[in-house]
Coordinates of all heavy atoms in Angstrom, one line a residue:
M1 N 98.5 91.4 103.0 CA 98.2 90.7 101.8 C 99.3 89.9 101.3 O 100.5 90.3 101.3 CB 97.7 91.7 100.7 CG 97.5 91.0 99.3 SD 97.1 92.1 98.0 CE 95.3 92.0 98.2
I2 N 99.0 88.7 100.9 CA 100.0 87.8 100.4 C 99.7 87.7 98.8 O 98.6 87.4 98.4 CB 99.9 86.3 100.9 CG1 100.0 86.3 102.4 CG2 100.9 85.4 100.2 CD1 101.4 86.6 103.0
I3 N 100.7 88.0 98.1 CA 100.7 87.9 96.6 C 101.5 86.7 96.2 O 102.7 86.6 96.4 CB 101.1 89.1 95.8 CG1 100.3 90.3 96.3 CG2 101.1 88.9 94.3 CD1 100.7 91.7 95.7
A4 N 100.8 85.6 95.7 CA 101.5 84.4 95.5 C 101.8 84.2 94.0 O 100.9 84.2 93.1 CB 100.6 83.2 95.9
N5 N 103.1 84.2 93.7 CA 103.6 83.9 92.3 C 103.8 82.4 92.2 O 103.9 81.7 93.3 CB 104.8 84.7 92.1 CG 105.1 84.9 90.6 OD1 104.7 84.2 89.8 ND2 106.0 85.9 90.4
H6 N 104.0 81.9 91.1 CA 104.3 80.5 90.9 C 105.5 80.3 90.0 O 105.8 81.1 89.1 CB 103.1 79.7 90.4 CG 102.6 80.1 89.1 ND1 103.2 79.7 87.9 CD2 101.6 80.9 88.7 CE1 102.6 80.2 86.9 NE2 101.6 81.0 87.3
P7 N 106.2 79.1 90.2 CA 107.3 78.8 89.3 C 106.8 78.4 87.9 O 105.7 78.1 87.6 CB 108.0 77.5 90.0 CG 107.3 77.3 91.2 CD 106.0 78.1 91.2
R8 N 107.8 78.4 87.0 CA 107.5 78.0 85.6 C 106.9 76.7 85.5 O 107.3 75.8 86.3 CB 108.9 78.1 84.8 CG 108.7 77.8 83.4 CD 110.0 77.9 82.6 NE 109.8 77.6 81.2 CZ 110.7 77.5 80.4 NH1 112.0 77.6 80.8 NH2 110.5 77.2 79.1
W9 N 106.0 76.5 84.7 CA 105.2 75.3 84.4 C 104.1 75.1 85.4 O 103.2 74.3 85.2 CB 106.0 74.0 84.2 CG 107.1 74.1 83.2 CD1 108.4 74.0 83.4 CD2 106.9 74.4 81.8 NE1 109.0 74.2 82.1 CE2 108.1 74.5 81.2 CE3 105.7 74.7 81.0 CZ2 108.3 74.8 79.9 CZ3 105.9 75.0 79.7 CH2 107.2 75.0 79.1
F10 N 104.1 75.7 86.6 CA 103.0 75.6 87.5 C 101.9 76.6 87.1 O 102.1 77.4 86.2 CB 103.5 76.0 88.9 CG 104.4 74.9 89.6 CD1 105.5 74.4 89.0 CD2 104.2 74.6 90.9 CE1 106.3 73.5 89.6 CE2 105.0 73.7 91.6 CZ 106.0 73.1 90.9
N11 N 100.8 76.5 87.9 CA 99.8 77.5 87.8 C 99.5 78.0 89.2 O 100.2 77.6 90.1 CB 98.5 77.0 87.1 CG 97.8 75.9 87.9 OD1 97.8 75.9 89.1 ND2 97.2 74.9 87.2
R12 N 98.6 78.9 89.4 CA 98.4 79.5 90.7 C 98.0 78.5 91.7 O 98.2 78.8 92.9 CB 97.3 80.6 90.6 CG 95.9 80.0 90.3 CD 94.9 81.2 90.1 NE 93.6 80.6 89.7 CZ 93.1 80.9 88.6 NH1 93.7 81.7 87.7 NH2 91.9 80.4 88.3
A13 N 97.5 77.3 91.4 CA 97.1 76.3 92.4 C 98.2 75.3 92.6 O 98.1 74.6 93.6 CB 95.8 75.6 92.0
G14 N 99.2 75.3 91.8 CA 100.3 74.3 92.0 C 100.7 73.7 90.7 O 100.8 74.3 89.6
L15 N 101.0 72.4 90.7 CA 101.4 71.6 89.5 C 100.5 70.4 89.4 O 100.6 69.4 90.1 CB 102.8 71.2 89.6 CG 103.3 70.4 88.4 CD1 103.4 71.3 87.2 CD2 104.7 69.8 88.8
P16 N 99.4 70.6 88.5 CA 98.5 69.5 88.3 C 99.0 68.4 87.4 O 98.6 68.3 86.2 CB 97.2 70.2 87.8 CG 97.7 71.3 87.0 CD 99.0 71.7 87.8
S17 N 100.0 67.6 87.8 CA 100.7 66.7 86.9 C 99.8 65.6 86.4 O 100.2 64.9 85.5 CB 101.9 66.2 87.6 OG 101.6 65.4 88.7
H18 N 98.6 65.5 86.9 CA 97.7 64.4 86.4 C 96.9 64.9 85.2 O 96.2 64.2 84.6 CB 96.7 64.0 87.5 CG 95.8 65.1 88.0 ND1 96.3 66.2 88.8 CD2 94.5 65.3 87.8 CE1 95.2 67.0 89.0 NE2 94.2 66.5 88.4
L19 N 97.0 66.2 84.9 CA 96.3 66.8 83.7 C 97.3 67.2 82.6 O 98.4 67.5 82.9 CB 95.6 68.1 84.2 CG 94.5 67.9 85.3 CD1 94.0 69.3 85.7 CD2 93.3 67.0 84.8
E20 N 96.8 67.2 81.4 CA 97.6 67.8 80.3 C 97.5 69.3 80.3 O 96.5 69.8 80.7 CB 97.1 67.2 78.9 CG 97.3 65.8 78.8 CD 98.8 65.4 78.7 OE1 99.7 66.3 78.5 OE2 99.1 64.2 78.8
P21 N 98.5 70.0 79.9 CA 99.7 69.6 79.3 C 100.8 69.2 80.3 O 101.9 68.8 80.0 CB 100.2 70.8 78.5 CG 99.6 71.9 79.3 CD 98.3 71.5 79.9
W22 N 100.5 69.4 81.6 CA 101.5 69.3 82.6 C 102.0 67.8 82.7 O 103.2 67.5 83.0 CB 101.0 69.7 84.0 CG 100.7 71.1 84.0 CD1 101.6 72.2 84.3 CD2 99.4 71.7 83.9 NE1 100.9 73.4 84.2 CE2 99.6 73.1 83.9 CE3 98.1 71.2 83.6 CZ2 98.5 74.0 83.8 CZ3 97.1 72.1 83.5 CH2 97.3 73.5 83.6
K23 N 101.1 66.9 82.4 CA 101.5 65.4 82.5 C 102.6 65.1 81.5 O 103.6 64.5 81.8 CB 100.2 64.6 82.3 CG 100.4 63.1 82.4 CD 99.2 62.3 82.3 CE 99.3 60.9 82.5 NZ 98.1 60.1 82.5
S24 N 102.4 65.6 80.3 CA 103.4 65.3 79.2 C 104.7 66.1 79.4 O 105.7 65.7 79.0 CB 102.8 65.8 77.9 OG 101.7 64.9 77.5
L25 N 104.6 67.3 80.0 CA 105.8 68.1 80.2 C 106.8 67.5 81.2 O 108.0 67.6 81.0 CB 105.4 69.5 80.7 CG 104.7 70.4 79.8 CD1 104.2 71.7 80.5 CD2 105.7 70.8 78.6
G26 N 106.3 66.8 82.3 CA 107.2 66.4 83.3 C 107.5 64.9 83.3 O 108.5 64.4 83.9
V27 N 106.7 64.1 82.6 CA 106.8 62.6 82.7 C 108.2 62.1 82.2 O 108.8 61.3 82.7 CB 105.6 61.9 82.0 CG1 105.7 62.0 80.5 CG2 105.6 60.5 82.5
S28 N 108.7 62.8 81.1 CA 110.0 62.3 80.5 C 111.2 62.5 81.5 O 112.1 61.7 81.4 CB 110.3 63.0 79.2 OG 110.5 64.4 79.4
A29 N 111.1 63.4 82.4 CA 112.1 63.7 83.3 C 111.8 63.0 84.7 O 112.6 63.2 85.6 CB 112.3 65.2 83.5
G30 N 110.8 62.4 84.8 CA 110.4 61.7 86.0 C 109.8 62.7 87.0 O 109.6 62.4 88.2
N31 N 109.4 63.9 86.5 CA 108.8 64.9 87.4 C 107.3 64.9 87.2 O 106.7 65.8 86.7 CB 109.4 66.3 87.0 CG 109.0 67.3 88.0 OD1 108.4 67.0 89.0 ND2 109.3 68.6 87.7
D32 N 106.7 63.9 87.7 CA 105.2 63.7 87.6 C 104.5 63.8 88.9 O 103.4 63.3 89.0 CB 104.9 62.5 86.8 CG 105.4 61.2 87.5 OD1 106.1 61.4 88.5 OD2 105.0 60.1 87.1
F33 N 105.1 64.4 89.9 CA 104.4 64.5 91.2 C 103.5 65.8 91.2 O 103.9 66.8 90.6 CB 105.3 64.5 92.3 CG 106.4 65.6 92.3 CD1 106.2 66.8 92.9 CD2 107.6 65.4 91.7 CE1 107.1 67.8 92.9 CE2 108.5 66.4 91.6 CZ 108.3 67.6 92.2
E34 N 102.5 65.7 91.9 CA 101.6 66.8 92.0 C 101.9 67.7 93.1 O 102.3 67.3 94.2 CB 100.1 66.4 92.1 CG 99.1 67.5 92.1 CD 97.7 66.9 91.8 OE1 97.5 65.8 91.3 OE2 96.7 67.7 92.1
V35 N 101.8 69.1 92.9 CA 102.0 70.0 94.0 C 100.7 70.8 94.1 O 100.1 71.3 93.1 CB 103.2 71.0 93.6 CG1 103.3 72.1 94.7 CG2 104.4 70.2 93.4
N36 N 100.2 71.0 95.4 CA 99.0 71.7 95.6 C 99.2 72.9 96.6 O 99.5 72.6 97.8 CB 97.9 70.7 96.2 CG 96.6 71.4 96.4 OD1 96.4 72.6 96.1 ND2 95.6 70.6 96.7
F37 N 99.2 74.1 96.1 CA 99.4 75.3 97.0 C 98.2 75.6 97.8 O 98.3 76.4 98.8 CB 99.8 76.5 96.2 CG 101.1 76.4 95.4 CD1 101.2 76.9 94.2 CD2 102.2 75.8 95.9 CE1 102.4 76.9 93.5 CE2 103.4 75.7 95.3 CZ 103.5 76.3 94.0
V38 N 97.0 75.1 97.4 CA 95.7 75.6 98.0 C 95.7 75.4 99.5 O 95.2 76.3 100.2 CB 94.5 75.0 97.3 CG1 93.2 75.3 98.0 CG2 94.5 75.4 95.8
P39 N 96.1 74.2 100.1 CA 96.1 74.1 101.5 C 97.0 75.2 102.2 O 96.6 75.7 103.3 CB 96.7 72.7 101.8 CG 96.4 72.0 100.5 CD 96.5 73.0 99.4
D40 N 98.1 75.6 101.7 CA 98.9 76.6 102.2 C 98.2 78.0 102.1 O 98.3 78.8 103.1 CB 100.2 76.7 101.5 CG 101.0 75.4 101.7 OD1 101.1 74.9 102.8 OD2 101.6 74.9 100.7
Y41 N 97.5 78.2 101.0 CA 96.8 79.5 100.9 C 95.6 79.5 102.0 O 95.4 80.6 102.6 CB 96.1 79.6 99.6 CG 97.0 79.7 98.4 CD1 96.5 79.3 97.1 CD2 98.3 80.2 98.5 CE1 97.4 79.4 96.0 CE2 99.1 80.3 97.4 CZ 98.7 79.9 96.2 OH 99.5 80.0 95.0
K42 N 95.0 78.3 102.3 CA 94.0 78.3 103.3 C 94.5 78.6 104.7 O 93.9 79.3 105.4 CB 93.3 76.9 103.3 CG 92.1 76.8 104.2 CD 91.5 75.5 104.0 CE 90.3 75.2 104.9 NZ 89.8 76.1 105.8
I43 N 95.7 78.1 105.0 CA 96.3 78.4 106.3 C 96.6 79.9 106.4 O 96.3 80.5 107.4 CB 97.7 77.6 106.4 CG1 97.4 76.1 106.6 CG2 98.5 78.2 107.6 CD1 98.6 75.3 106.5
L44 N 97.1 80.5 105.3 CA 97.3 82.0 105.4 C 96.0 82.7 105.5 O 95.9 83.7 106.3 CB 98.1 82.4 104.1 CG 99.5 81.9 104.0 CD1 100.0 82.0 102.6 CD2 100.4 82.6 105.0
H45 N 95.0 82.3 104.8 CA 93.7 83.0 104.8 C 93.1 82.9 106.3 O 92.6 83.8 106.8 CB 92.8 82.4 103.8 CG 91.4 82.9 103.9 ND1 91.0 84.1 103.5 CD2 90.3 82.3 104.4 CE1 89.7 84.3 103.7 NE2 89.2 83.2 104.3
N46 N 93.2 81.7 106.8 CA 92.7 81.5 108.1 C 93.4 82.2 109.2 O 92.9 82.6 110.3 CB 92.6 80.0 108.5 CG 91.6 79.2 107.7 OD1 90.7 79.8 107.1 ND2 91.7 77.9 107.7
A47 N 94.7 82.6 108.9 CA 95.5 83.4 109.8 C 95.2 84.9 109.7 O 95.8 85.7 110.3 CB 96.9 83.1 109.6
G48 N 94.3 85.2 108.7 CA 93.8 86.6 108.6 C 94.4 87.3 107.4 O 94.2 88.5 107.2
Y49 N 95.2 86.7 106.6 CA 95.8 87.3 105.4 C 94.8 87.2 104.2 O 94.0 86.3 104.1 CB 97.1 86.6 105.0 CG 98.2 86.8 106.0 CD1 98.4 85.8 106.9 CD2 99.0 87.9 105.8 CE1 99.5 86.0 107.8 CE2 100.0 88.1 106.8 CZ 100.3 87.2 107.8 OH 101.3 87.3 108.6
N50 N 94.9 88.3 103.4 CA 94.2 88.1 102.1 C 95.3 87.6 101.1 O 96.4 87.9 101.2 CB 93.8 89.5 101.5 CG 92.7 90.1 102.4 OD1 91.7 89.5 102.6 ND2 92.9 91.3 102.9
V51 N 94.8 86.6 100.3 CA 95.8 85.9 99.4 C 95.3 86.1 98.0 O 94.2 85.9 97.6 CB 95.8 84.4 99.7 CG1 96.7 83.6 98.8 CG2 96.2 84.1 101.2
L52 N 96.2 86.7 97.2 CA 96.0 86.9 95.8 C 96.9 86.0 95.0 O 98.2 86.1 95.0 CB 96.3 88.4 95.4 CG 96.2 88.7 93.9 CD1 94.8 88.5 93.3 CD2 96.6 90.2 93.7
A53 N 96.4 85.0 94.4 CA 97.1 84.0 93.5 C 96.7 84.2 92.1 O 95.5 84.3 91.8 CB 96.9 82.6 94.0
Y54 N 97.6 84.2 91.2 CA 97.3 84.5 89.8 C 98.2 83.6 88.9 O 99.2 83.1 89.3 CB 97.6 85.9 89.5 CG 99.0 86.4 89.6 CD1 99.9 86.4 88.5 CD2 99.5 86.7 90.8 CE1 101.2 86.8 88.7 CE2 100.8 87.1 91.0 CZ 101.6 87.1 89.9 OH 102.9 87.5 90.1
D55 N 97.8 83.4 87.7 CA 98.5 82.7 86.7 C 99.4 83.6 85.9 O 98.9 84.6 85.4 CB 97.6 81.9 85.8 CG 96.9 80.7 86.4 OD1 97.5 80.1 87.3 OD2 95.7 80.4 86.1
L56 N 100.6 83.2 85.7 CA 101.5 83.9 84.8 C 101.0 83.7 83.3 O 100.3 82.7 83.1 CB 102.9 83.5 84.9 CG 103.7 83.8 86.2 CD1 105.0 83.0 86.3 CD2 103.9 85.3 86.4
R57 N 101.3 84.6 82.5 CA 100.9 84.5 81.1 C 101.3 83.1 80.5 O 102.3 82.6 80.8 CB 101.4 85.6 80.2 CG 103.0 85.6 80.1 CD 103.5 86.9 79.5 NE 103.1 88.0 80.2 CZ 102.7 89.1 79.7 NH1 102.7 89.3 78.4 NH2 102.4 90.2 80.4
N58 N 100.4 82.6 79.7 CA 100.6 81.3 79.1 C 100.6 80.1 80.0 O 101.0 79.0 79.6 CB 101.9 81.2 78.2 CG 101.9 82.3 77.2 OD1 100.9 82.6 76.5 ND2 103.0 83.0 77.1
F59 N 100.2 80.2 81.3 CA 100.1 79.1 82.2 C 98.7 79.2 82.9 O 98.1 80.2 83.1 CB 101.2 79.3 83.3 CG 102.6 79.1 82.8 CD1 103.4 80.2 82.5 CD2 103.1 77.8 82.6 CE1 104.6 80.0 82.0 CE2 104.4 77.7 82.1 CZ 105.1 78.8 81.8
G60 N 98.2 78.0 83.3 CA 97.0 77.9 84.0 C 95.8 78.4 83.1 O 95.7 78.1 82.0
H61 N 95.0 79.3 83.7 CA 93.8 79.8 83.1 C 94.1 81.2 82.5 O 93.2 81.9 82.1 CB 92.6 79.9 84.0 CG 92.1 78.5 84.4 ND1 91.4 77.8 83.5 CD2 92.2 77.8 85.5 CE1 91.1 76.6 84.0 NE2 91.6 76.6 85.2
S62 N 95.3 81.7 82.4 CA 95.6 83.0 81.9 C 95.5 82.9 80.3 O 95.5 81.9 79.7 CB 97.1 83.4 82.2 OG 98.0 82.6 81.6
S63 N 95.4 84.1 79.8 CA 95.3 84.2 78.3 C 96.6 83.9 77.7 O 97.7 84.1 78.3 CB 94.8 85.6 77.9 OG 93.5 85.8 78.5
S64 N 96.6 83.6 76.5 CA 97.9 83.4 75.7 C 98.5 84.8 75.4 O 97.7 85.7 75.1 CB 97.6 82.7 74.4 OG 98.8 82.5 73.7
A65 N 99.8 84.9 75.5 CA 100.5 86.1 75.2 C 101.8 85.9 74.6 O 102.4 84.7 74.7 CB 100.6 86.9 76.5
N66 N 102.3 86.8 73.9 CA 103.7 86.7 73.2 C 103.8 85.4 72.3 O 104.8 84.8 72.3 CB 104.8 86.6 74.3 CG 104.7 87.8 75.3 OD1 104.4 88.9 74.9 ND2 104.9 87.5 76.5
G67 N 102.7 85.1 71.7 CA 102.6 84.0 70.8 C 102.9 82.6 71.6 O 103.3 81.6 71.0
G68 N 102.5 82.6 72.9 CA 102.7 81.4 73.7 C 104.1 81.2 74.1 O 104.4 80.1 74.7
L69 N 105.0 82.1 73.9 CA 106.4 81.9 74.3 C 106.7 82.3 75.7 O 106.1 83.3 76.2 CB 107.3 82.8 73.4 CG 107.3 82.5 71.9 CD1 108.1 83.5 71.1 CD2 107.7 81.0 71.6
F70 N 107.6 81.6 76.3 CA 108.1 82.0 77.7 C 109.3 82.8 77.5 O 110.2 82.4 76.7 CB 108.4 80.6 78.5 CG 109.0 80.9 79.8 CD1 108.3 81.3 80.8 CD2 110.4 80.7 80.0 CE1 108.8 81.6 82.1 CE2 111.0 80.9 81.2 CZ 110.2 81.4 82.2
T71 N 109.4 83.9 78.1 CA 110.6 84.9 77.9 C 111.5 85.0 79.0 O 112.3 85.9 79.1 CB 110.0 86.3 77.5 OG1 109.3 86.8 78.6 CG2 109.2 86.2 76.3
A72 N 111.5 84.0 79.9 CA 112.4 84.0 81.0 C 112.4 85.2 81.9 O 113.4 85.7 82.4 CB 113.8 83.7 80.6
G73 N 111.2 85.8 82.0 CA 111.0 87.0 82.9 C 110.9 88.3 82.2 O 110.4 89.2 82.8
R74 N 111.4 88.4 81.0 CA 111.3 89.7 80.3 C 109.8 90.3 80.2 O 109.5 91.4 80.6 CB 112.0 89.7 79.0 CG 112.1 91.1 78.4 CD 112.9 91.0 77.0 NE 111.9 90.6 76.0 CZ 112.0 89.6 75.2 NH1 113.0 88.8 75.3 NH2 111.1 89.3 74.3
C75 N 109.0 89.4 79.7 CA 107.5 89.8 79.6 C 106.8 89.4 80.8 O 105.8 90.1 81.2 CB 106.9 89.2 78.4 SG 107.6 89.9 76.8
E76 N 107.1 88.3 81.5 CA 106.4 87.8 82.6 C 106.5 88.8 83.8 O 105.7 88.8 84.7 CB 107.0 86.5 83.1 CG 106.6 85.3 82.1 CD 107.6 85.3 80.9 OE1 108.5 86.0 80.8 OE2 107.2 84.5 80.0
S77 N 107.5 89.7 83.8 CA 107.6 90.7 84.9 C 106.4 91.6 84.9 O 106.0 92.0 86.0 CB 108.9 91.6 84.7 OG 108.8 92.3 83.5
R78 N 105.8 91.8 83.8 CA 104.5 92.5 83.7 C 103.4 91.8 84.5 O 102.5 92.5 85.0 CB 104.1 92.8 82.3 CG 105.0 93.7 81.6 CD 104.5 94.0 80.2 NE 105.4 93.2 79.3 CZ 105.1 92.9 78.0 NH1 104.1 93.3 77.5 NH2 106.0 92.2 77.4
D79 N 103.5 90.5 84.6 CA 102.4 89.7 85.3 C 102.6 89.9 86.8 O 101.6 89.8 87.5 CB 102.5 88.2 85.0 CG 102.4 88.0 83.5 OD1 101.7 88.8 82.8 OD2 102.9 87.0 83.0
V80 N 103.8 90.3 87.2 CA 104.0 90.5 88.6 C 103.6 92.0 89.0 O 103.0 92.2 90.0 CB 105.5 90.3 89.0 CG1 105.8 90.7 90.4 CG2 105.9 88.9 88.7
I81 N 103.8 92.9 88.1 CA 103.5 94.3 88.3 C 102.0 94.5 88.4 O 101.5 95.2 89.2 CB 104.1 95.2 87.2 CG1 105.6 95.2 87.4 CG2 103.6 96.6 87.3 CD1 106.4 95.8 86.2
G82 N 101.2 93.7 87.6 CA 99.7 93.8 87.6 C 99.1 93.6 89.0 O 98.4 94.5 89.5
P83 N 99.5 92.5 89.7 CA 98.9 92.3 91.0 C 99.4 93.3 92.0 O 98.7 93.7 93.0 CB 99.4 90.9 91.4 CG 99.6 90.2 90.1 CD 100.0 91.3 89.2
L84 N 100.6 93.8 91.9 CA 101.2 94.8 92.8 C 100.4 96.1 92.6 O 100.0 96.8 93.6 CB 102.6 95.1 92.5 CG 103.6 93.9 93.0 CD1 105.0 94.2 92.5 CD2 103.5 93.7 94.4
D85 N 100.1 96.5 91.4 CA 99.2 97.6 91.1 C 97.8 97.5 91.7 O 97.3 98.4 92.2 CB 99.2 97.9 89.6 CG 100.5 98.5 89.0 OD1 101.4 98.9 89.8 OD2 100.6 98.5 87.8
Y86 N 97.3 96.3 91.5 CA 95.9 96.0 92.0 C 95.9 96.2 93.5 O 95.0 96.8 94.1 CB 95.6 94.5 91.6 CG 94.2 94.1 92.2 CD1 93.0 94.4 91.5 CD2 94.2 93.4 93.4 CE1 91.8 94.0 92.0 CE2 92.9 93.0 93.9 CZ 91.8 93.3 93.2 OH 90.6 92.9 93.7
A87 N 96.9 95.6 94.2 CA 97.0 95.7 95.7 C 97.2 97.1 96.1 O 96.5 97.5 97.1 CB 98.1 94.8 96.2
A88 N 98.0 97.9 95.4 CA 98.2 99.3 95.8 C 97.0 100.1 95.6 O 96.6 100.9 96.5 CB 99.3 99.8 95.0
A89 N 96.2 99.8 94.6 CA 94.9 100.5 94.3 C 93.9 100.1 95.4 O 93.1 101.0 95.8 CB 94.4 100.2 92.9
A90 N 93.9 98.9 95.8 CA 93.0 98.5 96.9 C 93.3 99.2 98.2 O 92.4 99.6 98.9 CB 93.1 97.0 97.1
V91 N 94.6 99.4 98.5 CA 95.0 100.1 99.7 C 94.5 101.6 99.6 O 94.0 102.1 100.6 CB 96.5 100.0 99.9 CG1 97.0 101.0 101.0 CG2 96.9 98.6 100.2
I92 N 94.7 102.2 98.5 CA 94.3 103.5 98.3 C 92.8 103.7 98.5 O 92.3 104.6 99.1 CB 94.7 104.0 96.9 CG1 96.3 104.2 96.9 CG2 94.1 105.4 96.6 CD1 96.9 104.4 95.5
R93 N 92.0 102.7 98.0 CA 90.6 102.7 98.1 C 90.1 102.4 99.5 O 89.0 102.4 99.8 CB 89.9 101.8 97.1 CG 90.0 102.2 95.7 CD 89.2 101.3 94.7 NE 89.3 99.9 94.9 CZ 90.2 99.1 94.3 NH1 91.0 99.6 93.4 NH2 90.3 97.8 94.6
G94 N 91.0 101.8 100.3 CA 90.7 101.5 101.7 C 90.1 100.1 101.8 O 89.3 99.8 102.7
K95 N 90.3 99.2 100.8 CA 89.7 97.9 100.9 C 90.7 96.8 101.3 O 91.9 96.8 101.0 CB 89.1 97.5 99.5 CG 87.9 98.4 99.2 CD 87.3 98.1 97.9 CE 86.1 98.9 97.6 NZ 85.4 98.6 96.4

């Protein structure tokens, strides 16, 4: 199983710089190029891997948490533990 995390300001699919709020976040620094992780996930899937991609709190389609604040990993670490727990439970269930 591949558990795919994403960098700050990205979401589980990449960096959709053509959409708000990503468009406004990067344009002032000249960082307005789009990044798409989905083709890479497809390669991994076609190679036989299960791919679990998720949004960190306050990014993508995740719910708002911590008042919308980014905590540089202190609270976001819980977002990493959740998929690890999910994967471990799936192994225990034999799925």
Side-chain angles (χ1 to χ4, degrees):
M1 173 182 268
I2 304 293
I3 299 176
N5 200 342
H6 63 79
R8 185 177 180 188
W9 303 122
F10 285 51
N11 65 32
R12 67 181 174 247
L15 180 67
S17 62
H18 63 288
L19 300 173
E20 291 295 347
W22 298 277
K23 185 174 185 176
S24 295
L25 289 171
V27 73
S28 63
N31 189 9
D32 58 351
F33 59 90
E34 187 163 341
V35 177
N36 185 356
F37 296 143
V38 175
D40 297 313
Y41 297 157
K42 183 173 179 7
I43 291 168
L44 292 167
H45 173 75
N46 290 345
Y49 291 95
N50 292 306
V51 179
L52 173 60
Y54 62 95
D55 287 326
L56 292 170
R57 64 189 60 220
N58 303 316
F59 292 98
H61 291 288
S62 67
S63 299
S64 180
N66 308 322
L69 298 175
F70 176 74
T71 64
R74 192 177 79 240
C75 293
E76 290 80 8
S77 63
R78 291 180 257 165
D79 300 332
V80 176
I81 292 169
L84 291 172
D85 287 346
Y86 177 84
V91 169
I92 290 169
R93 289 190 311 268
K95 295 183 177 183

